[in-house]
Amino acid sequence: MKKILHLTIFLALVAAISGGALAFANNLTAPIIAENALAAEKENLKLMFPDAADSDFQQIDVKGNSKTIEKIFTVAGTETIFKLQVTGYKDGTSFMVAFDESGTITHYAVISNGDTQGIGSKVADDSFADSLIGKKGNEKLDTISGATISSTPVVDGINEAAQYFADNME
Amino acid sequence: MNRKENFTAGFIRENPVFSLYLGICSTLAITTTLNNAIGMGVAVIAVLIMSNVIISLIRNITPNEIRIPVYIVVIATLVKIIQMLIKAYAASLDTALGVFIPLIVVNCIILGRAESFASKNNVFDSALDGLGMGLGYTCSLIVMSVIRQVISTGVLNFTNPFDATQMIFEFRIIPEDYVISVFNQPFGAFVTFALLAAALAGYKNAKTAKAEKKKKAQEAAQAALAKEAK
């Protein structure tokens, strides 16, 4: 009995010390890690707005529990960027879409696409981006024929983001 | 075994990767570029030295029955702290190494050294053993990554791990038309690993064969001397 107590207390003590050390390290590094993540995010945002400065982007909390809307940013207070993750044929698409104040699509950029090269990857093509830009986010958008499995979730995602924009932003 | 022998053991005779075949999973996976190899090597050295020191410090008060869980808690804590530091101060390295940083916890080299060396020796020797073994591991990674990177891309480069945009050196060894990109893939890792392990085994065999030959020659000479004396 005494033996068991000794072992338990020793292991608990070791675990407690390690927990304390981890908490200390976490306290030290967590703000820097968060800053790094935000900086990496801003690199992506600059793909769409190359002229904007880092300080022009403001992150907004996502309300509700949407599975597709990951992050929302505003640029200089005029345009709203949604970062979305949607399913596809294989690994799906991670992309960003920006609306102006009237809900019109102004920018569209794909961060990563894990679907078939040459088929699903067409969602990252300029021609698809051109077909979206200038349209209202909540109207019916064209998918890519031949790549519907990848492009339909993208279009649905844009519609969802537009809905969110209409509900929460306007 | 004296200290110097103990320290240099990790390089050839007991090289953890090519001789003891420990920690191969991460070796095969991350040796695509020199940057990854050095980053991983430094992380492993840091964990190895600190875990060896701590385990050696508490070796007399650690109850024998629960020594393995205690070692694992110590190692996991150290690895997690290193991971946080890498995430915070060398973000590009973190993206490149990904899951293999947390996987250092289950790298056999570290638990192996804790169990077979640090739990039986004093703090200084344990720290030295950690440094030696860690350097042996790092050298193996560097050799493999240089071979793979040069054959698969033709370029050897090294960027500052704390600032991905700052290139420390870069030069082209093989013209772009003659590179074999398959060496970037797992296949290339296995081929490189097999060749290097075979080379080391061949070297060790030759060394023992030489020693035996020398011994035999000595014996023969002694026998001849004895015969003459008769």
Side-chain angles (χ1 to χ4, degrees), chain B:
Chain B
M1 209 191 313
N2 65 33
R3 277 201 177 135
K4 190 174 158 243
E5 240 177 74
N6 178 10
F7 176 70
T8 53
F11 289 90
I12 304 265
R13 190 167 42 79
E14 280 182 31
N15 183 303
V17 178
F18 297 124
S19 186
L20 303 178
Y21 304 129
L22 291 178
I24 295 179
C25 166
S26 53
T27 306
L28 293 176
I30 58 111
T31 52
T32 47
T33 66
L34 186 60
N35 260 58
N36 289 358
I38 291 178
M40 184 74 178
V42 171
V44 168
I45 290 175
V47 173
L48 201 48
I49 293 178
M50 288 194 285
S51 72
N52 266 9
V53 165
I54 294 175
I55 285 162
S56 175
L57 275 174
I58 60 170
R59 71 183 188 280
N60 290 332
I61 54 165
T62 310
N64 199 36
E65 293 87 343
I66 52 160
R67 63 182 199 285
I68 301 285
V70 169
Y71 298 164
I72 291 174
V73 170
V74 169
I75 294 167
T77 311
L78 291 170
V79 170
K80 191 70 200 169
I81 291 174
I82 297 272
Q83 189 198 356
M84 287 182 198
L85 290 175
I86 289 179
K87 260 206 162 90
Y89 297 106
S92 63
L93 197 64
D94 179 65
T95 346
L97 296 176
V99 73
F100 290 100
I101 293 281
L103 278 181
I104 296 175
V105 175
V106 287
N107 193 318
C108 325
I109 299 170
I110 292 165
L111 192 59
R113 293 324 287 177
E115 168 73 5
S116 71
F117 196 94
S119 60
K120 301 185 185 87
N121 290 282
N122 67 37
V123 176
F124 183 73
D125 283 344
S126 300
L128 214 59
D129 176 74
L131 182 64
M133 277 287 160
L135 283 175
Y137 176 76
T138 310
C139 285
S140 317
L141 289 186
I142 291 175
V143 169
M144 252 186 94
S145 67
V146 166
I147 293 174
R148 286 182 66 194
Q149 194 182 6
V150 166
I151 294 182
S152 66
T153 63
V155 179
L156 189 63
N157 60 16
F158 184 64
T159 53
N160 186 344
F162 301 104
D163 177 12
T165 52
Q166 194 187 343
M167 189 75 81
I168 292 175
F169 65 81
E170 179 175 30
F171 41 87
R172 178 165 285 282
I173 297 170
I174 304 176
E176 209 164 332
D177 296 342
Y178 299 96
V179 298
I180 309 170
S181 57
V182 75
F183 267 80
N184 237 334
Q185 307 294 316
F187 166 79
F190 279 106
V191 169
T192 318
F193 178 79
L195 289 177
L196 287 173
L200 186 70
Y203 169 76
K204 284 206 300 190
N205 283 349
K207 218 172 154 188
T208 34
K210 218 172 168 184
E212 263 172 34
K213 215 173 162 188
K214 211 172 162 189
K215 213 174 151 194
K216 264 190 191 154
Q218 261 177 0
E219 276 171 3
Q222 268 174 356
L225 262 169
K227 224 176 182 178
E228 242 173 58
K230 266 185 188 172

Side-chain angles (χ1 to χ4, degrees), chain A residues 57-112:
Chain A
F57 299 111
Q58 293 293 327
Q59 187 166 1
I60 305 172
D61 290 333
V62 184
K63 287 179 215 140
N65 47 356
S66 166
K67 279 184 185 132
T68 45
I69 301 174
E70 288 193 325
K71 278 169 190 151
I72 306 173
F73 300 89
T74 57
V75 188
T78 55
E79 287 177 79
T80 311
I81 307 169
F82 287 80
K83 188 184 175 206
L84 305 164
Q85 170 71 46
V86 294
T87 55
Y89 186 69
K90 206 171 133 234
D91 292 337
T93 313
S94 174
F95 67 101
M96 293 181 295
V97 61
F99 302 114
D100 66 9
E101 281 149 332
S102 65
T104 307
I105 301 171
T106 55
H107 293 83
Y108 166 85
V110 170
I111 300 167
S112 70

Side-chain angles (χ1 to χ4, degrees), chain A residues 3 6-8 10-11 14-15 17-19 21-23 25-29 32-33 36, chain B residues 58 61-63 65-66 69-70 73-74 76-77 80-81 83-85 87-91:
Chain A
K3 182 92 193 158
H6 174 217
L7 296 183
T8 316
F10 188 85
L11 196 54
V14 170
I17 293 170
S18 96
L22 280 177
N26 187 42
N27 252 357
L28 225 60
T29 54
I32 306 171
I33 293 172
N36 283 348
Chain B
I58 60 170
I61 54 165
T62 310
E65 293 87 343
I66 52 160
V70 169
V73 170
V74 169
T77 311
K80 191 70 200 169
I81 291 174
Q83 189 198 356
M84 287 182 198
L85 290 175
K87 260 206 162 90
Y89 297 106

